[in-house]
């Protein structure tokens, strides 16, 4: 094993992926910045309540893209190039089809879903103005999100990063023009997000069908679609996870601090989401290499890549925790928060930032399992966190410490997930 060569390949894939996922997480931050100043606390609360809709749309694209990409790289590693090509075409077709279906679903069910999530009055009106535009452009967002892992697994991580940076520039520009010049309110933020993903989609398609001169094929084979969806379920869960936690946390915030606490958590999430995306980016970045070498039967290289990724994530976690803790007092003014919400924010942000110490390695375990085709174990970790461990801790801890317990729940959840993974490794139930 040439360790220096492997580390160079990791850097080639991981560094652009970390930045690309950072920009993915920054979409919500940009929307929050502009909405906070243009609309105020009601706008922040509205987007926070509506966020599960764009999150599901994006997660669907990421899940399909990762599912197809894991299978593609594994086939390339095992020299099954014809099968890899077939999976590629089915993945692209699936992104188009499921993007159109999710658009129709949310346009029909969106209003009822927002009411179920707790949106009322002015907050409901703002939330639907935002969500209706997002739902209408869902196909572009699914494609934009799903094509990024496809590019990475075709050794185009730099192009994927460039597409995300360009999309972010479009988002910022349109948000400013539409919200502060044209003054169409919260809809401007949604239009900016959809337009940005259109740009990401266009760049990705150009790289695939322009630069590589691939021939576009519509291919929908039920067996391959099922394999892609099944392999992508953990990736979908990793992507949707923050928004599922957001729903439960919003509910607990409303119970302990009303709309002010919900608005406060909106800004906390604007900080947590990009950092979480970057930490997750290490796992996503090593996925093409791990899938390839797993397909080639080189488990020794896979384990070396995982160890190197763990060290990187420990350093990143400590750095982000210290940075956010120090910067917390300055953040409320940046987002235009009211005085009461601002006072509530600083301790909440500092407690939440402790999660960065554990979060990256907890997510890496899932990405590694998925990349090595341990899909069931990966699913178990992802969905036990979302629907069992996180809700229980969010319910129990605040009973003893009030709103502070809501903030503490995030780092405690991530620490528990690390302990669960450690127990699985010790029991020898999966390859780690």
């Amino acid at each position: 094993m040439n360790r220096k060569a492997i580390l160079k390949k990791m850097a080639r894939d991981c560094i652009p992926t970390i930045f690309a996922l950072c920009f993915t997480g920054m979409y919500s931050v940009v929307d929050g910045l502009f909405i906070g100043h243009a609309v105020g606390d009601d706008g922040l609360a509205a987007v926070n309540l509506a966020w599960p809709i764009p999150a599901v749309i994006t997660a669907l694209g990421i899940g399909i893209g990762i599912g197809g990409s894991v299978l593609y790289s594994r086939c390339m590693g095992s020299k099954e190039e014809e099968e890899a090509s077939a999976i590629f075409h089915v993945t692209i077709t699936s992104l188009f089809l499921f993007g159109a279906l999710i658009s129709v679903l949310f346009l029909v069910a969106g209003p009822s879903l927002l009411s179920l999530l707790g949106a009322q009055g002015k907050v409901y009106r703002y939330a639907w103005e935002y969500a209706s535009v997002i739902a209408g452009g869902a196909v572009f967002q699914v494609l934009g999100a799903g094509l990024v892992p496809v590019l990475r697994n075709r050794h185009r991580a730099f192009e994927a990063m460039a597409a995300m940076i360009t999309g972010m520039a479009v988002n910022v520009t349109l948000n400013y023009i539409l919200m502060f010049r044209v003054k169409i309110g919260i809809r401007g933020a949604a239009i900016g997000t959809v337009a940005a993903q259109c740009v990401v989609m266009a760049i990705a398609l150009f790289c695939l069908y322009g630069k590589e001169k691939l021939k576009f094929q519509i291919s929908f084979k039920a067996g391959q679609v099922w394999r892609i969806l099944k392999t992508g379920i953990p990736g979908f869960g990793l992507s949707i996870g923050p928004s599922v936690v957001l729903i439960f946390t919003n509910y607990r915030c409303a119970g302990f601090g009303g709309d002010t606490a919900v608005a406060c958590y909106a800004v906390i999430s604007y900080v947590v989401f990009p950092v979480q995306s970057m930490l997750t980016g290490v796992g996503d970045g090593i996925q093409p290499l791990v899938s390839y070498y797993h397909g080639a039967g080189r488990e020794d290289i896979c384990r070396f890549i995982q160890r190197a990724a763990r060290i990187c994530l420990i350093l990143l976690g400590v750095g982000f925790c210290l940075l956010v803790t120090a910067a917390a007092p300055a953040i409320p003014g940046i987002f235009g928060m009211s005085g009461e919400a601002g006072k509530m924010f600083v301790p909440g942000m500092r407690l939440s930032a402790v999660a960065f110490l554990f979060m990256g390695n907890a997510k890496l375990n899932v990405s590694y399992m998925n990349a090595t085709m341990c899909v069931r174990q990966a699913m178990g970790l992802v969905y036990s966190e979302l629907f069992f461990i996180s809700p229980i801790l969010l319910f129990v801890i605040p009973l003893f410490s009030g709103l502070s317990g809501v903030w503490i729940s995030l780092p405690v959840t991530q620490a528990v997930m690390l302990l669960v993974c450690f127990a699985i490794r010790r029991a020898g139930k999966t390859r780690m």
Side-chain angles (χ1 to χ4, degrees):
M1 183 197 309
N2 188 334
R3 296 192 175 192
K4 287 186 177 179
I6 297 297
L7 289 173
K8 285 182 179 179
K9 289 180 180 180
M10 286 182 64
R12 178 200 66 191
D13 289 346
C14 284
I15 293 174
T17 300
I18 288 170
F19 281 103
L21 289 182
C22 174
F23 283 104
T24 299
M26 287 292 289
Y27 277 89
S28 61
V29 177
V30 169
D31 286 351
L33 281 169
F34 284 100
I35 290 168
H37 286 283
V39 184
D41 288 353
D42 284 340
L44 288 172
V47 174
N48 201 34
L49 288 168
W51 189 248
I53 290 177
V56 168
I57 292 169
T58 302
L60 177 64
I62 290 173
I64 294 172
I66 288 178
S69 297
V70 166
L71 294 172
Y72 171 86
S73 290
R74 183 174 180 274
C75 288
M76 292 297 289
S78 58
K79 309 303 180 184
E80 301 174 59
E81 295 184 6
E82 187 174 333
E83 177 70 7
S85 178
I87 288 171
F88 168 80
H89 292 299
V90 173
T91 301
I92 302 299
T93 303
S94 298
L95 288 169
F96 275 104
L97 178 61
F98 285 99
L101 289 175
I102 200 72
S103 179
V104 173
L105 174 64
F106 278 133
L107 284 173
V108 172
S112 299
L113 179 60
L114 291 175
S115 296
L116 186 63
L117 292 173
Q120 299 177 357
K122 186 187 292 186
V123 170
Y124 170 85
R125 178 168 60 83
Y126 284 147
W128 179 237
E129 285 180 10
Y130 181 83
S132 60
V133 175
I134 293 292
V139 66
F140 306 113
Q141 296 169 86
V142 169
L143 278 161
L147 288 171
V148 168
V150 171
L151 286 177
R152 286 202 305 267
N153 281 263
R154 296 184 73 89
H155 308 295
R156 293 188 175 274
F158 181 82
E159 286 93 333
M161 180 186 71
M164 294 304 303
I165 292 173
T166 306
M168 176 57 64
V170 170
N171 193 27
V172 170
T173 302
L174 285 179
N175 273 2
Y176 174 74
I177 292 172
L178 296 176
M179 298 186 73
F180 289 95
R181 295 299 181 184
V182 182
K183 297 184 178 181
I184 63 173
I186 204 168
R187 288 192 302 274
I191 293 171
T193 296
V194 173
Q197 287 300 308
C198 285
V199 170
V200 174
M201 176 194 72
I203 293 173
L205 291 175
F206 172 74
C207 290
L208 294 170
Y209 297 103
K211 281 188 172 183
E212 294 191 24
K213 301 188 183 303
L214 298 175
K215 183 180 179 181
F216 179 75
Q217 296 180 24
I218 296 176
S219 180
F220 194 85
K221 300 177 181 178
Q224 289 182 335
V225 171
W226 171 242
R227 288 178 65 203
I228 289 168
L229 293 177
K230 182 175 68 174
T231 308
I233 288 175
F236 175 88
L238 278 179
S239 179
I240 199 64
S243 297
V244 174
V245 174
L246 183 145
I247 294 171
F248 293 128
T249 308
N250 279 338
Y251 176 76
R252 298 301 275 165
C253 283
F256 286 98
D259 286 344
T260 301
V262 173
C264 176
Y265 179 64
V267 179
I268 290 176
S269 68
Y270 293 151
V271 178
V272 170
F273 282 11
V275 175
Q276 181 165 330
S277 296
M278 292 181 75
L279 295 173
T280 304
V282 175
D284 284 1
I286 68 169
Q287 176 268 307
L289 284 175
V290 172
S291 294
Y292 179 87
Y293 286 115
H294 176 70
R298 293 300 306 272
E299 299 300 329
D300 57 328
I301 297 179
C302 292
R303 288 191 291 270
F304 171 75
I305 292 171
Q306 186 194 36
R307 288 194 298 271
R310 287 195 186 284
I311 294 171
C312 176
L313 284 166
I314 290 171
L315 296 174
L316 285 174
V318 172
F320 280 127
C321 181
L322 294 175
L323 177 63
V324 171
T325 298
I331 295 174
I334 296 173
F335 284 88
M337 298 176 72
S338 66
E340 185 180 356
K343 291 178 182 177
M344 192 181 290
F345 171 85
V346 175
M349 186 71 260
R350 285 174 169 166
L351 289 171
S352 299
V354 177
F356 302 150
L357 300 175
F358 316 107
M359 187 179 286
N361 273 298
K363 306 306 179 189
L364 175 66
N365 291 320
V366 176
S367 296
Y368 186 83
M369 287 178 180
N370 204 36
T372 55
M373 301 305 296
C374 297
V375 178
R376 289 185 180 179
Q377 293 94 326
M379 286 172 56
L381 282 177
V382 171
Y383 293 99
S384 64
E385 176 186 346
L386 295 187
F387 299 110
F388 181 68
I389 294 173
S390 181
I392 287 177
L393 292 174
L394 270 168
F395 177 78
V396 173
I397 297 177
L399 295 178
F400 301 96
S401 51
L403 187 60
S404 294
V406 177
W407 315 135
I408 294 170
S409 298
L410 178 61
V412 172
T413 298
Q414 297 307 310
V416 168
M417 292 310 301
L418 265 185
L419 290 174
V420 170
C421 293
F422 178 75
I424 291 174
R425 291 175 64 197
R426 289 293 298 270
K429 293 180 179 179
T430 187
R431 290 168 294 180
M432 295 295 294

